[in-house]
């Protein structure tokens, strides 16, 4: 019996339980829960946003188990092609950060879990350049990845896995502030992703090792289909492993995990950040059984420099996609991690 089968058998009794599993999980060492979305203001302006809550638990036994809670926050003005970010990192000391059954918070950032299908997210960083308060409501259709939500990231190394679900198409309303302009958000679609892993945190978490990298994209098409594509690299020299999840408009879910089932390749010339000098492949061609996506960013300058919180620099931004064969389009978010030079400290 190979290692993957042993791992899956050991996890076969796991099942998600909502709304409880929307919050953080104290028995695990590494976790993140984040929201991204395309939203429309009353003024007609279009925005994209990212609000990511991280949790890392260090441990050398039962006597010392500190937790840290970084947050990454960004708003992209899609109409004027401008991008602003904010971030923090707090400890679970003095009420500065933490989590309960119905909320996650760190500094000026909070996620409220109102029910299985409703959330309120708030971000009011001290810089005052960007802020938001959004109400999100789902249709009850949470999307699990992998068998029973156990998402294997590498068939070559089955120790690299997470418990992983998404909540696409969260209807979004509220308000935001961007460089002094107050906006009323009247409509939009948000996407929630939540992953946790590393049952023990006595060593550096596998998914957080600085050598790893990935290219992740979520897409919501105009026919009602939802997609996740994930291109994982265990190290800069390792060949990528590609996985995918598709839920059709009727609710049927397909998992793609066998080699060469999906082709996910960058096209065109990489874009190089003026600030960090890192080059990112921002245009992609994705071929999957029955279709093809050509993915492009709405604009290039959507890099996130998380040096002062997670020490990670990555690209995460709003994208659009077209399927030339089926004549359909999609909107979503793309994340590119692992293009900076490795650091001595671990990275998310």
């Amino acid at each position: 019996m190979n290692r993957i089968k042993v791992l899956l058998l050991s996890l076969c009794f796991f099942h998600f339980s909502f709304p409880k599993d929307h919050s953080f999980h104290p028995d695990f060492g590494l976790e993140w829960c984040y929201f991204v979305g395309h939203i429309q203001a009353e003024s007609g302006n279009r925005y994209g946003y990212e609000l990511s809550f991280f949790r890392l638990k260090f441990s050398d036994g039962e006597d010392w188990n500190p937790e840290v809670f970084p947050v990454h926050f960004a708003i992209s003005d899609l109409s004027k092609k401008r991008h602003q970010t904010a971030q923090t990192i707090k400890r679970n000391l003095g009420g500065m950060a933490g989590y309960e059954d119905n909320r996650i918070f760190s500094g000026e950032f909070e996620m409220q879990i109102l029910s299985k299908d409703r959330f309120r997210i708030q971000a009011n960083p001290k810089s005052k350049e960007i802020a938001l308060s959004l109400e999100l409501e789902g249709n009850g259709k949470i999307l699990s990845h992998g068998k029973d939500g156990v998402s294997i990231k590498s068939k070559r190394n089955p120790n690299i896995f997470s418990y992983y679900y998404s909540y696409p198409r969260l209807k979004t309303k509220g308000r935001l502030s961007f460089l002094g302009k107050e906006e009323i958000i009247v409509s939009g679609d948000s996407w929630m992703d939540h992953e946790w892993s590393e049952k023990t945190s006595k060593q550096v978490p596998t998914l957080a090792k600085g050598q790893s990298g990935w290219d992740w994209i979520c897409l919501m098409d105009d026919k009602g289909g939802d997609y996740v594509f994930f291109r994982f690299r265990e190290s800069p020299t390792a060949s990528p492993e590609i996985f995918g999840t598709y839920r059709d408009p009727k609710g049927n879910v397909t998992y793609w995990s066998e080699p060469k089932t999906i082709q996910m390749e960058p096209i065109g010339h990489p874009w190089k950040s003026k600030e960090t000098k890192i080059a990112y492949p921002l245009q992609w061609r994705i071929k999957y059984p029955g279709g093809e996506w050509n993915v492009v960013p709405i604009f290039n300058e959507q890099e996130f420099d998380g040096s002062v919180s997670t020490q990670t620099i990555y690209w995460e931004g709003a994208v659009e996609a077209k399927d030339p064969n089926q004549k359909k389009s999609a909107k979503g978010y793309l994340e590119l991690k692992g293009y900076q030079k490795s650091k001595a400290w671990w990275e998310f």
Side-chain angles (χ1 to χ4, degrees), residues 76-130:
S76 298
D77 184 336
L78 304 180
S79 301
K80 298 181 180 178
K81 299 183 178 181
R82 297 182 296 180
H83 185 67
Q84 292 290 319
T85 69
Q87 59 193 296
T88 193
I89 181 168
K90 302 292 186 184
R91 285 272 307 274
N92 55 338
L93 296 173
M96 292 188 297
Y99 53 99
E100 302 163 358
D101 287 347
N102 61 354
R103 71 171 182 145
I104 296 168
F105 63 99
S106 182
E108 301 81 31
F109 304 89
E110 183 178 24
M111 164 191 168
Q112 297 178 25
I113 303 162
L114 304 179
S115 72
K116 168 182 170 289
D117 303 309
R118 293 179 58 238
F119 309 91
R120 179 181 297 117
I121 54 175
Q122 299 183 83
N124 294 285
K126 293 178 180 178
S127 67
K128 306 297 184 184
E129 292 182 335
I130 53 175

Side-chain angles (χ1 to χ4, degrees), residues 33-39 47-54 71-76 83-86 109 121 123 130 132 134 190-191 216 302-305 314-318 333-335:
C33 180
Y34 60 86
F35 299 84
V36 293
H38 290 240
I39 52 180
Y47 293 90
Y49 79 92
E50 168 202 354
L51 183 57
S52 303
F53 296 87
F54 301 93
V71 176
H72 289 178
F73 173 44
I75 294 179
S76 298
H83 185 67
Q84 292 290 319
T85 69
F109 304 89
I121 54 175
I130 53 175
L132 62 73
L134 298 177
S190 294
W191 181 293
W216 169 92
Q302 298 183 77
E303 183 183 42
F304 199 108
D305 186 346
Y314 59 98
W315 194 96
E316 181 148 8
Y333 253 72
L334 170 69
E335 179 180 274

Side-chain angles (χ1 to χ4, degrees), residues 7 151-154 157-162 206-207 232 234:
L7 173 63
S151 174
I152 303 296
K153 308 302 183 188
S154 170
N157 185 353
N159 292 319
I160 304 177
F161 75 95
S162 68
T206 306
L207 274 175
F232 179 75
E234 189 173 356

Side-chain angles (χ1 to χ4, degrees), residues 44 49 106 145 172 176 203 228 245 282-283 292 303 331 345:
Y49 79 92
S106 182
H145 299 280
T172 306
L176 67 76
Q203 58 185 4
V228 171
T245 303
L282 298 186
Q283 300 181 48
E292 175 180 327
E303 183 183 42
K331 58 187 177 182
W345 194 59

